[in-house]
Amino acid sequence: DQQVKQNSPSLSVQEGRISILNCDYTNSMFDYFLWYKKYPAEGPTFLISISSIKDKNEDGRFTVFLNKSAKHLSLHIVPSQPGDSAVYFCAAPSGGGADGLTFGKGTHLIIQP
Amino acid sequence: KAGVTQTPRYLIKTRGQQVTLSCSPISGHRSVSWYQQTPGQGLQFLFEYFSETQRNKGNFPGRFSGRQFSNSRSEMNVSTLELGDSALYLCASSSGGSGEETQYFGPGTRLLVL
């Protein structure tokens, strides 16, 4: 039972254009979402988060949008840069007040020069 | 502040053996979570410890266990290793307050079971 889904295993975007990574969730109890970025042989690095009381959160080139009715969130990166090439994970707290996260399977973003 | 550290970084074991992995959280963080990353399953939550108590547990067999010490350092143990346990094991720490706090990950321990 995959509660957080990233349906695109990979995405290729030209440098300078906008990258849009999508994530769907099934558990209506999720009220906080995070995006992590991961390079090979390194641990995930926190990028940006959003609480369910908001529908948008922006941090520099990164913006996360949350559509609660559709149970969908997206990460926009603009403009895309070569260093953005990595695997991006969407995550939500597992619940119960504890700090475990449920992750999607990730989207490998490739920025082409 | 120093980041999350994990030891060892790489490990090779054979089937049936057991292994212990170690994680030192960021100073002041009281919550430590463990994850398994494999190509087929992605990042899967193993368990979370806070103040030496397991607060949350994922869907893994009892061969996977952990503990946390009074200084918040944590260890994870896998007994009777199977080939399918080959994975990157990641540890993450957070302040541990509300469940809506950012987790900071270590570099992981790459385990290969032969």
Side-chain angles (χ1 to χ4, degrees), chain A residues 21-73:
Chain A
L21 297 102
N22 294 304
C23 177
D24 298 296
Y25 61 96
T26 57
N27 190 340
S28 301
M29 299 301 289
F30 287 153
D31 57 7
Y32 185 71
F33 301 91
L34 308 94
W35 284 93
Y36 282 84
K37 172 181 178 180
K38 187 179 185 301
Y39 294 117
E42 294 183 12
T45 304
F46 170 74
L47 260 180
I48 191 169
S49 63
I50 188 166
S51 168
S52 61
I53 61 173
K54 294 184 172 182
D55 54 17
K56 176 183 173 182
N57 190 26
E58 191 172 349
D59 184 3
R61 296 186 298 114
F62 302 91
T63 303
V64 57
F65 295 92
L66 176 61
N67 182 336
K68 289 188 288 295
S69 60
K71 295 182 185 174
H72 176 85
L73 61 155

Side-chain angles (χ1 to χ4, degrees), chain A residues 31 36 38 43 98-99 101 105, chain B residues 35 37 48 94 99-100 103 106:
Chain A
D31 57 7
Y36 282 84
K38 187 179 185 301
D99 276 5
L101 294 172
K105 291 198 174 183
Chain B
Y35 297 86
Q37 186 185 18
E48 186 243 359
S94 66
E100 288 192 359
Q103 292 195 347

Side-chain angles (χ1 to χ4, degrees), chain B residues 6-108:
Chain B
Q6 291 187 247
T7 56
R9 292 295 310 278
Y10 304 94
L11 205 49
I12 299 175
K13 292 284 189 179
T14 56
R15 278 182 300 173
Q17 286 188 308
Q18 74 158 13
V19 67
T20 299
L21 311 181
S22 182
C23 172
S24 292
I26 291 172
S27 177
H29 283 187
R30 296 170 63 192
S31 170
V32 173
S33 297
W34 288 90
Y35 297 86
Q36 180 195 66
Q37 186 185 18
T38 57
Q41 297 299 319
L43 270 160
Q44 291 188 289
F45 172 68
L46 279 154
F47 29 66
E48 186 243 359
Y49 285 86
F50 178 79
S51 292
E52 302 178 65
T53 301
Q54 188 181 89
R55 279 200 306 194
N56 202 0
K57 189 176 189 303
N59 190 24
F60 277 81
R63 300 185 297 108
F64 292 81
S65 63
R67 59 177 177 168
Q68 187 180 34
F69 302 95
S70 58
N71 61 358
S72 294
R73 190 177 70 85
S74 177
E75 288 182 347
M76 190 194 104
N77 186 75
V78 188
S79 62
T80 320
L81 283 165
E82 300 176 0
L83 295 179
D85 296 333
S86 294
L88 179 68
Y89 290 88
L90 291 157
C91 161
S93 76
S94 66
S95 299
S98 65
E100 288 192 359
E101 295 175 359
T102 301
Q103 292 195 347
Y104 297 89
F105 283 81

